[in-house]
Amino acid sequence: MRAQQLLLAGAGAAGVLTVVATVAAALGWWWLVVLAAMLLLGGILLVALDADRRVRALRTVVRAELAKVEAPAAPRPAPAGEDVVGAVRTLQAQYTGRLDRLQDTVEQALRSRDGRG
């Protein structure tokens, strides 16, 4: 609940500073416009620095947790030569089938063009 209250307070402060800057600009009080803008930008800088600090702290926690996780017991075996050859032959057959269908389509299109023209 504290984070939500802090968020509402920050939004309220930003709204008030925006209204103050707008009214001051309308009245020609440029020193007040600059003061409100600097306060608003200072608040944004503080929020950005806090977010960066939190991300850096979270990064170390995540790394520590990942270090605790056990490595897999046995590495995955490398694929056998027959598996690789089988995969290549399958891909070759699919590619050849696609080329055959493309050639049939092109020949059909040429025949229909010759029949029309």
Side-chain angles (χ1 to χ4, degrees):
M1 193 65 167
R2 179 162 160 37
Q4 187 178 9
Q5 290 173 345
L6 188 61
L7 180 64
L8 289 174
V16 167
L17 287 173
T18 301
V19 168
V20 167
T22 304
V23 170
L27 295 176
W29 297 342
W30 298 111
W31 62 271
L32 188 57
V33 173
V34 171
L35 178 67
M38 289 300 107
L39 286 174
L40 188 60
L41 290 175
I44 291 170
L45 175 67
L46 289 176
V47 168
L49 289 174
D50 183 55
D52 183 58
R53 181 191 59 82
R54 288 178 187 224
V55 166
R56 290 181 186 273
L58 182 63
R59 186 180 301 157
T60 58
V61 170
V62 168
R63 284 186 182 151
E65 290 297 320
L66 286 176
K68 292 179 187 177
V69 175
E70 292 180 340
R76 235 172 77 183
E82 298 84 25
D83 293 338
V84 174
V85 170
V88 169
R89 284 186 179 160
T90 302
L91 289 172
Q92 182 182 10
Q94 290 175 351
Y95 185 67
T96 303
R98 289 180 183 155
L99 285 176
D100 289 342
R101 287 193 301 272
L102 176 64
Q103 184 177 359
D104 291 342
T105 305
V106 168
E107 288 175 355
Q108 183 183 9
L110 288 174
R111 279 191 302 257
S112 68
R113 192 195 82 184
D114 289 340
R116 283 187 310 173

